[in-house]
Amino acid sequence: MSLQNDPNCVQELIEKLEEATTFKKRGKATKRVLDILDSEQKLISWKFNEWDYAKDKIKLPSNARGLFTLLDEPKIAVRGYDKFFNINEVYSTRWEWLEQNTTGPYIVTAKENGCIILISGLEDGTIVVCSKHSTGNREDTTKNHAIAGQLFLEEQLKQLNLTTKDLALKLYELNLTAVAEFCDDGFEEHIIEYKGRDAGLYLHGLNLNKPIFETYSIEKVENFADSWGFKKIDYFIEKNIGDLKLKLDDYSKSGSYNGKEIEGFVIRCKKAEDSSDYFFKFKFEEPYLM
């Protein structure tokens, strides 16, 4: 059994998260116990202040944005991406740092403009659909992204004669969280329009439910999307970072990709030192930063 699969490793993470809830300011964690929709089981949501992710002097127990553990056992139930940053936003996204510390191929995915939805499953076939830090019914908001995403997911699966239980059991078997962008102007409008056939759940990631960030290849994500009715994201591949920079600069002049207005790109690659997954983003100044 690898260390990342070791329950004791998750237990160690949870102990560090619990400790972080006692901090006054820097690195403080917020812990919330949440009800899972249509289940008696509960999740714990762990959240940090957004500005803490960018500070080199703060060592967080986890950089995951969207991290949920089961209340009754030391298991990660839902895991988002590790926080990643825009070009030049932090030291580790400067071009010179990226040239020295990352390796290709560079998988460049179009950044859809919606709200993040995290989808996972429990052992009994219960589907768990979350926004970054919440799941289930809420009384503190008029727009519940998690439930809206789950309703859309149910209709999506129905078109393929599949159920949320089918998907939940598959995700549980593979120990995965599916990461999608929910884009639907009928629910919530963003800068870029998503109506009719363009509306839906755009699958762009499959993360292993482990303390250390590990995500599936884009090819496996596409295959999973085909099997379960998700919309797929556009992407292209650059082998070296010099060509990547030239291509991104070129696209930024038009603010579009393949004739479609987008907000930018997410770039997936590997760290040179240990071949671990590494993400950064390249936002266009228009329309997203207007």
Side-chain angles (χ1 to χ4, degrees):
M1 178 182 291
S2 71
L3 182 62
Q4 291 184 35
N5 284 320
D6 185 351
N8 294 324
C9 185
V10 179
Q11 181 61 47
E12 181 181 339
L13 170 63
I14 291 172
E15 289 171 3
K16 290 179 179 178
L17 290 165
E18 289 282 7
E19 181 185 10
T21 64
T22 67
F23 297 168
K24 297 297 183 183
K25 289 184 178 179
R26 294 174 51 169
K28 180 177 176 58
T30 300
K31 173 185 177 183
R32 293 174 61 207
V33 178
L34 303 170
D35 294 319
I36 300 171
L37 198 65
D38 300 324
S39 174
E40 294 182 358
Q41 296 189 68
K42 296 178 184 290
L43 291 183
I44 301 174
S45 166
W46 305 94
K47 179 183 177 184
F48 293 97
N49 292 318
E50 284 295 312
W51 52 84
D52 282 347
Y53 291 99
K55 295 178 180 177
D56 292 334
K57 293 182 179 179
I58 298 177
K59 179 68 173 175
L60 300 176
S62 173
N63 287 316
R65 285 183 82 225
L67 180 66
F68 300 79
T69 57
L70 292 178
L71 179 63
D72 57 358
E73 66 174 296
K75 177 175 174 57
I76 295 173
V78 185
R79 195 204 198 283
Y81 298 132
D82 273 10
K83 170 72 175 178
F84 55 91
F85 298 92
N86 193 26
I87 284 290
N88 295 323
E89 186 178 359
V90 295
Y91 178 72
S92 58
T93 56
R94 294 178 184 175
W95 282 115
E96 56 268 29
W97 188 94
L98 294 167
E99 288 168 4
Q100 295 172 10
N101 295 280
T102 66
T103 61
Y106 295 88
I107 315 301
V108 187
T109 59
K111 196 172 188 301
E112 301 296 344
N113 187 217
C115 52
I116 288 289
I117 296 292
L118 305 173
I119 306 165
S120 190
L122 303 182
E123 188 174 13
D124 64 358
T126 298
I127 197 78
V128 183
V129 182
C130 307
S131 60
K132 277 198 294 287
H133 306 296
S134 177
T135 192
N137 291 308
R138 294 175 60 183
E139 297 179 357
D140 60 339
T141 180
T142 56
K143 285 187 180 293
N144 190 315
H145 296 82
I147 288 182
Q150 181 162 341
L151 291 173
F152 200 103
L153 177 65
E154 290 171 358
E155 290 301 314
Q156 166 185 311
L157 293 171
K158 192 181 295 183
Q159 299 299 316
L160 298 174
N161 294 317
L162 295 167
T163 67
T164 56
K165 184 174 183 178
D166 295 327
L167 177 58
L169 289 173
K170 176 55 69 173
L171 290 169
Y172 182 84
E173 173 195 337
L174 298 172
N175 196 33
L176 291 176
T177 294
V179 188
E181 199 85 16
F182 180 40
C183 305
D184 184 1
D185 285 1
F187 170 68
E188 184 175 61
E189 290 187 2
H190 289 79
I191 294 170
I192 297 169
E193 287 189 356
Y194 291 88
K195 296 179 180 178
R197 290 186 178 181
D198 290 334
L201 287 163
Y202 287 77
L203 185 69
H204 49 73
L206 292 168
N207 297 339
L208 287 160
N209 293 328
K210 296 179 177 182
I212 297 172
F213 179 47
E214 187 177 342
T215 194
Y216 270 26
S217 69
I218 196 66
E219 293 83 6
K220 288 185 177 180
V221 171
E222 280 205 315
N223 291 337
F224 196 92
D226 286 334
S227 298
W228 297 94
F230 290 95
K231 291 188 175 297
K232 293 184 288 189
I233 56 171
D234 290 331
Y235 72 93
F236 63 92
I237 299 173
E238 291 295 335
K239 292 183 178 180
N240 67 74
I241 200 162
D243 290 341
L244 170 68
K245 188 176 187 301
L246 290 172
K247 187 69 72 68
L248 293 178
D249 287 341
D250 189 45
Y251 280 122
S252 69
K253 293 172 185 175
S254 66
S256 64
Y257 172 66
N258 283 353
K260 177 183 176 182
E261 198 173 40
I262 63 171
E263 63 170 91
F265 297 100
V266 175
I267 300 92
R268 303 148 193 251
C269 58
K270 300 287 185 181
K271 279 189 175 179
E273 62 179 0
D274 57 9
S275 295
S276 60
D277 291 310
Y278 190 74
F279 283 26
F280 60 98
K281 56 189 169 184
F282 184 94
K283 287 183 181 179
F284 297 155
E285 290 190 10
E286 294 182 1
Y288 188 70
L289 297 181
M290 282 195 306

